Amino acid sequence: MKRRRFLASLPAAALDAQPAQGGELVLWYNAPSKLWTDALPLGNGRLGAMVFGGVSSERLQLNEDTLWSGFPKIWNNPKAKDHLAEIRRLVLEAEDYAAADKLCAKMQGPYNQSYQPLADLRLEFSGLPAPSGYRRDLDLDTAIASVSFSGHRRETFVSAPDQVIVTRITAPAGSLNFTIAIDSPVRSASTTEGGDTLVLRGKAPAHVDPNYYRTPNPIRYDDTEGMGMRFEARAKVLAEGGAVKADAGKLRVEGARAATILISAATGFRGFKRVPDLSAEAISAAARKHLDAAARQPYNALKARHIADHQRLFRRVSLDLGKPVSELPTGERLKAFKAQPDPQLLALYFQYGRYLLIASSRPGTQPANLQGIWNESVRPPWSSNWTTNINAQMNYWPAETCNLAECHEPLFDLIEGLAENGRNTAEFNYGLKGWVCHHNTDLWRQTAPVGDYGKGSPTWANWNMAAPWFCAHLWEHFLFSRDTEFLIHRAYPVMKGAAEFCLGLLVPDKQGRLTTCPSFSTENVFITPDGKTAAASAGCTMDLALVREIFTNTIEAASLLGVDAEFSQQLSTALSKLAPYQTGARGQLQEWSKDFKEREPGHRHMSHMYPLYPGSEFTVRGTPQWAQAARRSLELRLEAGGAYTGWSRAWSIAFWARLEEGTKAHEGLAKLLELSTGPNLFDTHPAGQGWIFQIDGNFGAAAAIAEMLLQSHAGEIHLLPALPPQWPTGSVKGLRARGSIEIDIAWSAGKAISAELRPSKTGPVSLRAPRNQRIKAVLAGTSPFSLSPRPGGSIEARLLAGRKYRLEFS
Ligand code: FUC
């Protein structure tokens, strides 16, 4: 059914699509990648490939998104809640925060598991001509990575419709000679089958400790059934001309004109609640099914279907940030950015963020983890898990605004799983109803605090506010789509559970106001009045913000659906008693309920500013005093060296966008490219002397760029709210605003010249023109449309679904 739809919808152009030879949507290089972090990523949400582009050796590093260590287990700590009353006494009465930290550690469970690499496919070529004119590239518009030199050409893509990785190799004059081998850093063995297929079978470890946790035996394999997950990868070679032979565990292609390699993979994952494994036969059958079906297709049909499927998502948004267009290879462009204007590099970075989301998160797959789906290591940084105190959420910041709402779906599936497991943790750790999730989770949807029963720092391990933060994604998806079915069946039940937990968590402070305790400002610590360092306190600003938000949204959702009036009343009463936000001695938005001295004033986390972004409680016009206080906090953080990781920088850019400071936002983007971006435009995170890849900054910065061009969080659609002077002329097409509206905007000399709105739901909107401009007319087709001006400069209009509206400005 799905396949038929794709075939029918193939645009003629897709069939002839040729890889781009440069231009605005291509990352390109004139040398092979030396490191994994130079290679180019491809993916279909489930299968991932990093293409190295070597001359005589090619490496495709492969991933499958359900291949994780471990299995579901009991991770709730039955003794956890025994400590809660004493922790609260220590914080709220004794104000002995350091002692509270020690007890918090006793509420922890085990560390969670690690995302695993699948395999490496290795090609060794012989008899190649001397390489001249070498080039490798990744065309974001076709999602094809190519390598070419001296008439030799390879192109690789990962097809979503056909669920295979495809590499095609062509060479002049029938001269292709190469071997293919497959191996994996995970325990496994490879064989050949039928003379043209390589098969790798393995089993993931039963346990992998996080890379930051020092233990004598961090990777533990176990042959017992279910103690770890089986997997299989298959690679089949179809040669044109010449011959393919199995030879000492490898395949050898000799004298071919061209060859196509198809790769498929499957694992024994049966869902987060079930112990793996499927039988080896069932896994093999799943991997074979896709491979055999793909092998019956001509290469061009696979390629055309892949391109059409990708472009259906990718081409919804285009961004042109004006001239000049650099001719340099991408790595050099990146280095030159500081000295030489190159606005289109930021357009490329933005589109790369959208590309990476399409490649790592599709309906039915796992959500994008810390590295999307690309990981070469058995002990990847921070387990390549979902870190839920910013990173997992940041991955999805661009999903709605950048018109990839269906790529948001895997996150909703994750949230529903957490809501299920999190009920037990709420009961075990706090004796509460509803659901809770702490700061890390994995394929098995662990919701308990990590830390190996007391060895983790409570600063991060005991933070317990992932549930309300995740629920913001469900609510936002509703605001963007106005999909009531989604609200009824998926969002509301989960939101209600998170609100129930938060309601139960609230306790009175000394002034009788409701607060959270213990409370952690994500990963940050303060200096106690007696000079100690501590993490646990009560009512951190972020907790208050998340509680306010989940209560407010749940009340609104319940009222829209006409349900749970009594529960809503309880939430409203609690809201009216909630401890307030405060400003500190420096005019900053206070991070903790007391104006504690910070241990690290330039800390990368800035969670107290949540209500500015991604929340929407603080707005420049609606709550100017809080917008100003948040701005002061941001300035203080940046002055003290903050935003030193890619994701933190991306967050700071989004803050500046929400503060409508285009120049500052652009400064942040320039720093992001200079300090936190690798040659393949992967976002980086400092690690010891070097850096590692972490994908959140890619997504966060793409979302921030969208936020510079269009905002719709403050009850109005604001066009070009933070356009920087570096982008005087340009256009954006296909961004999305809340209310289910697609929007195009064109500007010149820093002023909007036209815009188009395409609502898919009927409803009222308020529209705000860019600073110092006015909306002169709204035209539906050719007929003028009546406008009602509103105090404060925005105008109101009622838009009808399916119509197009053109805006003119003065
Ligand atoms: C949190 C952050 C780190 C890193 C890690 C994955 O611990 O504080 O900077 O992003 O998650």
Side-chain angles (χ1 to χ4, degrees), residues 714-734:
E716 57 185 24
I717 292 173
H718 190 175
L719 306 166
L720 304 182
L723 190 69
Q726 288 82 354
W727 306 341
T729 301
S731 66
V732 65
K733 290 189 178 153

Side-chain angles (χ1 to χ4, degrees), residues 394 600-606 609 633-656 664 667-677 683-686 697:
M394 186 178 277
E600 190 190 333
H603 199 275
R604 61 196 178 285
H605 283 270
M606 299 178 276
M609 284 179 272
S633 289
L634 177 59
E635 285 166 353
L636 289 168
R637 269 304 208 269
L638 294 179
E639 280 162 20
Y644 60 87
T645 69
W647 64 257
S648 180
R649 179 72 63 194
W651 203 355
S652 75
I653 300 163
F655 288 140
W656 285 125
K664 297 270 189 199
E667 249 172 62
L669 286 169
K671 288 219 162 70
L672 180 83
L673 292 187
E674 185 191 344
L675 305 171
S676 304
T677 303
D683 170 57
T684 66
H685 189 295

Side-chain angles (χ1 to χ4, degrees), residues 212 370 381-382 385-391 439-440 460 522-523 603-605 644-645 647-648 685-686 692 694 696:
Y212 54 84
L370 282 172
W382 290 288
N385 68 6
W386 292 281
T387 306
T388 63
N389 65 13
I390 177 80
N391 320 84
H439 104 299
N440 270 173
W460 33 268
T522 53
E523 311 209 14
H603 199 275
R604 61 196 178 285
H605 283 270
Y644 60 87
T645 69
W647 64 257
S648 180
H685 189 295
I692 49 111
Q694 202 173 285
D696 39 23

Side-chain angles (χ1 to χ4, degrees), residues 482-773:
R482 288 277 155 198
D483 178 349
T484 315
E485 289 299 301
F486 175 81
L487 185 64
I488 297 174
H489 299 294
R490 299 200 66 184
Y492 183 72
V494 176
M495 289 168 65
K496 184 179 172 192
E500 270 176 324
F501 174 77
C502 290
L503 187 63
L505 192 68
L506 294 175
V507 288
D509 65 11
K510 275 187 182 159
Q511 290 103 313
R513 299 168 315 193
L514 291 180
T515 193
T516 54
C517 183
S519 172
F520 305 89
S521 195
T522 53
E523 311 209 14
N524 205 357
V525 290
F526 54 88
I527 302 178
T528 65
D530 55 352
K532 293 180 189 149
T533 298
S537 67
C540 293
T541 299
M542 185 197 222
D543 280 12
L544 301 178
L546 288 169
V547 169
R548 292 181 86 85
E549 186 185 74
I550 185 70
F551 285 6
T552 310
N553 294 345
T554 305
I555 293 168
E556 195 176 333
S559 132
L560 277 172
L561 302 178
V563 296
D564 291 331
E566 202 182 311
F567 181 59
S568 290
Q569 190 49 52
Q570 287 172 25
L571 297 180
S572 297
T573 308
L575 267 179
S576 67
K577 295 185 186 160
L578 203 62
Y581 300 131
Q582 300 174 70
T583 45
R586 292 162 296 168
Q588 89 282 15
L589 173 68
Q590 232 171 262
E591 183 165 352
W592 295 276
S593 62
K594 302 196 180 207
D595 199 1
F596 290 128
K597 224 168 146 215
E598 296 150 313
R599 173 64 72 204
E600 190 190 333
H603 199 275
R604 61 196 178 285
H605 283 270
M606 299 178 276
S607 53
H608 51 311
M609 284 179 272
Y610 178 93
L612 183 64
Y613 188 89
S616 47
E617 198 183 341
F618 295 172
T619 60
V620 171
R621 273 166 286 278
T623 59
Q625 73 285 17
W626 292 120
Q628 174 53 33
R631 181 195 179 102
R632 189 72 201 114
S633 289
L634 177 59
E635 285 166 353
L636 289 168
R637 269 304 208 269
L638 294 179
E639 280 162 20
Y644 60 87
T645 69
W647 64 257
S648 180
R649 179 72 63 194
W651 203 355
S652 75
I653 300 163
F655 288 140
W656 285 125
R658 282 282 172 94
L659 292 167
E660 302 178 6
E661 293 283 3
T663 300
K664 297 270 189 199
H666 192 273
E667 249 172 62
L669 286 169
K671 288 219 162 70
L672 180 83
L673 292 187
E674 185 191 344
L675 305 171
S676 304
T677 303
N680 64 356
L681 302 189
F682 266 180
D683 170 57
T684 66
H685 189 295
Q689 297 306 304
W691 54 268
I692 49 111
F693 163 48
Q694 202 173 285
I695 206 165
D696 39 23
N698 285 105
F699 293 133
I705 291 172
E707 211 66 23
M708 292 165 75
L709 300 169
L710 180 73
Q711 294 178 14
S712 64
H713 62 288
E716 57 185 24
I717 292 173
H718 190 175
L719 306 166
L720 304 182
L723 190 69
Q726 288 82 354
W727 306 341
T729 301
S731 66
V732 65
K733 290 189 178 153
L735 290 182
R736 248 169 118 241
R738 289 165 185 82
S740 200
I741 308 174
E742 267 190 15
I743 299 182
D744 302 345
I745 315 167
W747 64 94
S748 174
K751 294 208 174 307
I753 46 175
S754 67
E756 184 173 283
L757 272 58
R758 293 182 295 276
S760 55
K761 291 272 154 87
T762 295
V765 290
S766 296
L767 301 169
R768 178 174 294 279
R771 192 175 299 154
N772 301 328
Q773 284 193 273

Side-chain angles (χ1 to χ4, degrees), residues 290-426:
H290 295 304
L291 201 67
D292 292 350
R296 288 193 289 271
Q297 304 286 325
Y299 172 74
N300 276 338
L302 291 172
K303 180 174 166 183
R305 222 179 354 256
H306 156 72
I307 292 174
D309 169 68
H310 173 73
Q311 290 181 345
R312 179 178 58 89
L313 297 167
F314 185 75
R315 287 194 167 177
R316 284 181 191 160
V317 176
S318 63
L319 176 61
D320 177 1
L321 293 180
K323 301 224 169 341
V325 176
S326 169
E327 294 297 319
L328 293 173
T330 307
E332 287 171 40
R333 269 177 96 174
L334 190 64
K335 284 190 210 139
F337 186 82
K338 210 173 161 188
Q340 199 170 300
D342 185 2
Q344 294 293 16
L345 183 58
L346 287 169
L348 182 70
Y349 190 94
F350 167 81
Q351 289 290 29
Y352 192 47
R354 294 185 63 250
Y355 166 88
L356 290 171
L357 194 61
I358 295 169
S360 61
S361 186
R362 293 287 198 103
T365 71
Q366 295 298 311
N369 64 42
L370 282 172
Q371 297 189 172
I373 43 170
W374 300 279
N375 166 39
E376 66 164 346
S377 169
V378 175
R379 285 185 90 195
W382 290 288
S383 310
S384 196
N385 68 6
W386 292 281
T387 306
T388 63
N389 65 13
I390 177 80
N391 320 84
Q393 290 91 339
M394 186 178 277
N395 285 0
Y396 288 89
W397 287 357
E400 301 291 335
T401 51
C402 297
N403 215 339
L404 294 172
E406 56 273 75
C407 297
H408 213 167
E409 281 177 27
L411 186 73
F412 307 151
D413 299 339
L414 174 92
I415 298 171
E416 282 173 336
L418 295 172
E420 216 177 310
N421 282 351
R423 284 197 176 265
N424 284 336
T425 308

